[in-house]
Amino acid sequence: MPIPEDVTGDEIDKDVRQELQSLPKTLAEDVAKNLVMVARLIDEDPEGAYGYSRVALRLASRVAAVREAAGFAAYANQKYSEALAEFRAARRMTGTVDLWPVMADCERGLGRPEKALDMAGAPEVHKLDKAGQVEMRLVAAGARRDMGQLDAAIVTLQSPELASNSVQPWTARLRYAYADALLAAGREGEAREWFAKAVEADRDGSTDASDRLAEMDGVEFVDALDESDGDSAEGDRPADAGREENQDEKPAAADED
């Protein structure tokens, strides 16, 4: 697959670069470039990222970073069985537990939430850092929801990290998952409160909490360039067309993987 001229391979993390030192120099450079492309495309073009990951895998299947990248690319394409196999291979090579939560989420993707819950209670979880433990909690809550256990999912998400006012990289997603679980359980007033808290913590737009909150408040976004209005007379168009319109003046009724 073609590599853009601006990709040199030097963009990869130093730990990955160190792993690649076991390869011949030219081969290491080629693998590095493909790994850069995986990272560059995985969010916007997961299929493209998957293609580059397969090239890297073909070139250096004995490098743990390559197996991990291939796992995430497969995961992004919902190829959960393949992703799980790659994550397991990477874990065998490194001996670390960092991939435990995403491995458990692959079990969910394969329709095995009970297995994900077993992994959530395994000794490996205690070896995870704080971010990993929060991620494992999200996966466990998702597994509970897969099994129709909404109340258990809500309880699973209730934690010191959820209650903390400190904003960490995981805070927005944790609050969002909690709000979503509350909403699914019909607890709309509490759900709205936690969607609002998720918005406050979501500094990089990692969730659609603001959209969910607006939806609960009855806010609709109207496109001023909507072609369906193209034939309307100028005088027939509202003066504030294209701005937010609150279609329901009543407040939301009081009463999250």
Side-chain angles (χ1 to χ4, degrees), residues 38-119:
V38 174
R40 177 179 290 190
L41 298 177
I42 196 163
D43 290 329
E44 301 299 329
D45 181 11
E47 289 187 8
Y50 179 77
Y52 283 103
S53 76
R54 300 307 295 177
V55 174
L57 193 59
R58 187 170 65 248
L59 295 174
S61 62
R62 296 184 180 182
V63 176
V66 171
R67 302 303 289 265
E68 183 174 329
F72 277 110
Y75 178 82
N77 284 275
Q78 300 182 8
K79 299 177 183 291
Y80 298 118
S81 180
E82 183 178 330
L84 185 57
E86 297 299 342
F87 290 142
R88 284 173 173 166
R91 182 168 179 263
R92 285 195 300 269
M93 292 175 179
T94 63
T96 66
V97 297
D98 296 350
L99 296 171
W100 197 252
V102 71
M103 289 169 63
D105 206 39
C106 285
E107 296 288 0
R108 284 186 61 212
L110 291 169
R112 301 193 293 246
E114 297 89 351
K115 177 62 176 177
L117 287 177
D118 288 344
M119 293 179 69

Side-chain angles (χ1 to χ4, degrees), residues 1-11 29 33 36-37 40 52:
M1 298 181 68
I3 303 290
E5 293 182 1
D6 66 315
V7 174
T8 66
D10 294 334
E11 300 89 343
E29 291 175 352
K33 290 178 181 179
V36 170
M37 292 305 299
R40 177 179 290 190
Y52 283 103

Side-chain angles (χ1 to χ4, degrees), residues 3-253:
I3 303 290
E5 293 182 1
D6 66 315
V7 174
T8 66
D10 294 334
E11 300 89 343
I12 60 174
D13 294 339
K14 62 179 182 180
D15 292 341
V16 178
R17 188 179 302 112
Q18 187 172 358
E19 280 193 65
L20 296 180
Q21 288 179 356
S22 63
L23 303 174
K25 186 175 185 298
T26 301
L27 179 58
E29 291 175 352
D30 289 343
V31 173
K33 290 178 181 179
N34 279 281
L35 292 180
V36 170
M37 292 305 299
V38 174
R40 177 179 290 190
L41 298 177
I42 196 163
D43 290 329
E44 301 299 329
D45 181 11
E47 289 187 8
Y50 179 77
Y52 283 103
S53 76
R54 300 307 295 177
V55 174
L57 193 59
R58 187 170 65 248
L59 295 174
S61 62
R62 296 184 180 182
V63 176
V66 171
R67 302 303 289 265
E68 183 174 329
F72 277 110
Y75 178 82
N77 284 275
Q78 300 182 8
K79 299 177 183 291
Y80 298 118
S81 180
E82 183 178 330
L84 185 57
E86 297 299 342
F87 290 142
R88 284 173 173 166
R91 182 168 179 263
R92 285 195 300 269
M93 292 175 179
T94 63
T96 66
V97 297
D98 296 350
L99 296 171
W100 197 252
V102 71
M103 289 169 63
D105 206 39
C106 285
E107 296 288 0
R108 284 186 61 212
L110 291 169
R112 301 193 293 246
E114 297 89 351
K115 177 62 176 177
L117 287 177
D118 288 344
M119 293 179 69
E124 284 83 353
V125 175
H126 300 294
K127 300 177 184 178
L128 294 168
D129 61 13
K130 181 62 68 177
Q133 290 179 2
V134 171
E135 195 66 34
M136 193 71 249
R137 188 177 293 276
L138 288 167
V139 173
R144 291 292 185 188
R145 291 190 62 172
D146 293 343
M147 299 166 68
Q149 301 173 2
L150 277 174
D151 289 341
I154 291 170
V155 172
T156 298
L157 293 168
Q158 292 171 345
S159 62
E161 293 80 16
L162 179 67
S164 174
N165 291 323
S166 173
V167 175
Q168 302 295 335
W170 61 78
T171 302
R173 292 178 58 238
L174 183 59
R175 292 177 179 178
Y176 182 95
Y178 188 59
D180 194 48
L182 288 168
L183 186 60
R187 296 161 61 175
E188 295 185 5
E190 294 171 87
R192 190 199 179 285
E193 176 186 351
W194 281 97
F195 275 128
K197 290 182 178 181
V199 171
E200 293 174 0
D202 196 358
R203 297 167 179 172
D204 59 359
S206 61
T207 74
D208 65 346
S210 60
D211 292 340
R212 297 291 298 278
L213 187 60
E215 181 181 350
M216 292 190 72
D217 287 345
V219 176
E220 295 183 4
F221 297 92
V222 180
D223 188 351
L225 301 180
D226 190 338
E227 292 182 359
S228 64
D229 294 334
D231 296 331
S232 298
E234 186 66 29
D236 293 335
R237 293 180 58 82
D240 59 348
R243 297 207 307 260
E244 295 181 8
E245 295 185 0
N246 193 327
Q247 302 299 324
D248 183 359
E249 295 296 332
K250 298 180 181 179

